[in-house]
Amino acid sequence: MNERVYEIGLTVNGVPRSATAPARRLLSDFLRHDLGLTGTHVGCEHGVCGCCTVLLDGDPVRSCLTFAITVEGREVTTVEGLADPDGTLSPVQQAFQDSHGLQCGFCTPGFLCTVTALLRDNPAPTEAEVLEGISGNLCRCTGYQNIIKAVLSLSRGVSRTAQENGAGNATTQRGSGDHVR
Amino acid sequence: MKPPPFDYHAPRTLGEALDALAEAGGDGKVLAGGQSLIPLLNMRLAAPGQLIDINRVAALDTLVREPGGIRVGALARHSRVERSSGHPLLRQALRHVAHPAIRNRGTVVGSLAHADPAAELPAVLAVLGGWVEVASVSGTRTIPAASFFAGPLESALLPGELAVSAFFPSLPPRSGSAFAELARRHGDYALAGVAAVVELDASGAVTSARIGCLGVAATPLVLDLTPYLMASGAFADAVAYVRERAEPDGDIHASAGYRRHLLGLLAARTLSEAHATASSPGPSAHRITGGTTDE
């Protein structure tokens, strides 16, 4: 059985990347297996847990519910692309570290991508908006309290820095709402 | 798990998509946002031999305001429609569709075609009396919401047909809409939900009151409650009627009785909110208006 494969090219964290894969290759597996970017985690593989969330042209999507071939040519930002090239953590990453917003770390890449976009679109969210914003990401360790604390720490005062410094590549493209092509 | 193998088609025009669908026949499946289809593929509950990915068909990525309502193309994502449709009931309902990351990919028309009785948008299309435009190689047809939803996860689409757009009629002046649902966690499938539309005449008397219910029957349940609301103080009778007409199933999340009870509360809440909006003075916020954040 010879399954047809395709040459699939994407811009990942600002770098053009390509690999050969069948059409059924999920974006999550394309990133992990074909490009070796294992920062994106795969939990439930049916869109419930949010671990695999990445930014597609700046907006959060489930990489396990997207075929790599469908988003050929688009820009993807993974957790590996959030920090500065010199390793300085993004404001969101720093806040998670400062507030102990992670324990085992499995869900963290999804939370970081989700929160990066959340704060870009709403730099001063209320606690209710934070709760709603992260409701699509499951965490089995923290009980969420420190995650909420981390996000709110950026919402209060520090949000200015978050906006200016952005979160690496993620903020280079403002979500316009009409990004779909 | 991983999706089973399929032959992949990436048409760039509607004509190419319809040709591919016609050739695939009953073995073909359309991929738009994929937020319902890909989970089914990943769990191997679906295994179509031919997948027609319409994401490159730019002509389907449309959101057009027309005099009588809003036409949503097959590639318009939830998040874009939520921001830009200007339709109050669509906006009210879309906030409840899954999570932002899902809404960034999932499409409105895809959700209608999936025909999940617990989903928000089928109930919205049904209560508004909207329709779906369908195309195939042999032509086009218009399917009213009342006959589009055939059963749980079953639409009136035939093999070879593509839902190209959905039309959501706008609301007349002096009308109001509201949407409410209850889910264990924001974004989860609701235990029950209601989309309500109330219309008044110039004197403020109710001329029409309808609700679309989700999660309590095999297809969206549309109920005309006009007679109850025309008689002042008949809210309790309307709620009793709604509970009588619902046919919810019980499952591990909620019993049938609880869903029926909940539906009555949600109906009363949304009717009262829609009525209050319809009665409020000033330019109606419930016609299709511009000025949303996206414009």
Side-chain angles (χ1 to χ4, degrees):
Chain A
M1 187 179 119
N2 286 326
E3 192 173 358
R4 184 171 170 191
V5 292
Y6 300 82
E7 181 75 14
I8 302 170
L10 300 170
T11 301
V12 183
N13 301 325
V15 180
R17 301 288 303 268
S18 75
T20 303
R24 63 181 167 132
R25 181 77 88 237
L26 300 168
L27 178 58
S28 46
D29 289 341
F30 187 77
L31 293 167
R32 291 176 55 84
H33 302 173
D34 299 303
L35 300 183
L37 293 167
T38 53
T40 299
H41 291 171
V42 174
C44 71
E45 220 159 46
H46 60 276
V48 173
C49 74
C51 291
C52 70
T53 304
V54 299
L55 303 178
L56 177 65
D57 290 338
D59 289 328
V61 302
R62 301 278 200 254
S63 61
C64 80
L65 296 189
T66 307
F67 290 123
I69 195 167
T70 298
V71 295
E72 186 176 21
R74 308 268 298 268
E75 277 199 40
V76 174
T77 305
T78 67
V79 68
E80 288 97 337
L82 296 183
D84 280 345
D86 69 2
T88 307
L89 297 182
S90 79
V92 175
Q93 289 172 313
Q94 190 62 53
F96 270 62
Q97 186 183 81
D98 295 344
S99 301
H100 302 285
L102 66 151
Q103 286 178 27
C104 86
F106 193 85
C107 68
T108 311
F111 269 99
L112 292 173
C113 289
T114 301
V115 170
T116 297
L118 172 74
L119 289 170
R120 179 201 62 201
D121 292 342
N122 181 2
T126 62
E127 185 163 348
E129 286 168 338
V130 172
L131 272 173
E132 187 180 329
I134 63 170
S135 66
N137 292 70
L138 299 183
C139 172
R140 303 285 80 155
C141 300
T142 64
Y144 302 100
Q145 300 310 307
N146 286 345
I147 293 175
I148 294 163
K149 203 177 358 165
V151 184
L152 287 174
S153 76
L154 293 172
S155 174
R156 286 194 287 265
V158 196
S159 62
R160 199 178 140 80
T161 321
Q163 273 179 293
E164 281 167 6
N165 294 346
N169 300 317
T171 48
T172 56
Q173 212 159 355
R174 177 76 175 73
S176 69
D178 278 287
H179 59 280
V180 180
R181 279 174 279 276
Chain B
M1 293 204 304
K2 310 299 176 190
F6 47 76
D7 288 339
Y8 179 74
H9 303 269
R12 293 192 172 269
T13 65
L14 179 58
E16 287 175 16
L18 297 180
D19 286 343
L21 266 173
E23 206 165 306
D27 203 23
K29 194 80 192 158
V30 175
L31 173 69
Q35 303 302 285
S36 298
L37 177 60
I38 297 181
L40 292 174
L41 293 172
N42 285 356
M43 292 188 275
R44 303 217 170 185
L45 295 171
Q50 313 278 326
L51 199 72
I52 293 95
D53 182 348
I54 61 168
N55 280 278
R56 293 168 182 83
V57 184
L60 295 175
D61 188 13
T62 55
L63 187 60
V64 183
R65 286 181 199 170
E66 295 179 4
I70 181 104
R71 183 176 302 280
V72 181
L75 265 188
R77 320 270 168 187
H78 296 307
S79 54
R80 175 183 173 197
V81 178
E82 184 185 357
R83 276 188 289 252
S84 311
S85 79
H87 194 298
L89 183 56
L90 259 182
R91 188 170 56 233
Q92 288 160 343
L94 278 165
R95 281 194 54 243
H96 295 274
V97 175
H99 310 289
I102 303 284
R103 296 203 290 273
N104 283 335
R105 289 299 295 163
T107 64
V108 166
V109 174
S111 172
L112 298 172
H114 188 57
D116 192 317
E120 292 81 2
L121 295 172
V124 169
L125 189 78
V127 74
L128 290 171
W131 54 86
V132 178
E133 297 282 351
V134 170
S136 69
V137 286
S138 46
T140 60
R141 63 181 181 127
T142 300
I143 310 176
S147 46
F148 186 77
F149 305 106
L153 304 181
E154 191 187 343
S155 78
L157 289 167
L158 300 171
E161 284 188 327
L162 174 69
V164 292
S165 69
F167 189 82
F168 292 85
S170 53
L171 301 177
R174 299 192 63 80
S175 66
S177 66
F179 186 94
E181 67 174 37
L182 191 85
R184 294 293 297 269
R185 197 169 57 126
H186 186 94
D188 285 1
Y189 273 116
L191 302 177
V194 176
V197 178
V198 173
E199 297 171 22
L200 310 178
D201 66 15
S203 72
V206 174
T207 56
S208 170
R210 298 183 312 278
I211 62 170
C213 310
L214 56 102
V216 293
T219 57
L221 176 67
V222 176
L223 298 174
D224 185 354
L225 304 174
T226 312
Y228 297 101
L229 264 78
M230 281 171 84
S232 58
F235 252 75
D237 292 342
V239 166
Y241 173 70
V242 170
R243 287 184 174 138
E244 186 190 312
R245 289 292 308 276
E247 295 168 345
D249 286 329
D251 59 24
I252 56 164
H253 303 292
S255 67
Y258 178 65
R259 282 196 161 90
R260 183 174 281 121
H261 167 78
L262 187 60
L263 185 71
L265 295 181
L266 294 171
R269 192 178 300 167
T270 50
L271 283 168
S272 144
E273 191 186 323
H275 185 269
T277 312
S279 313
S280 65
S284 171
H286 284 71
R287 273 165 287 171
I288 289 183
T289 53
T292 53
T293 55
D294 209 34
E295 300 299 304

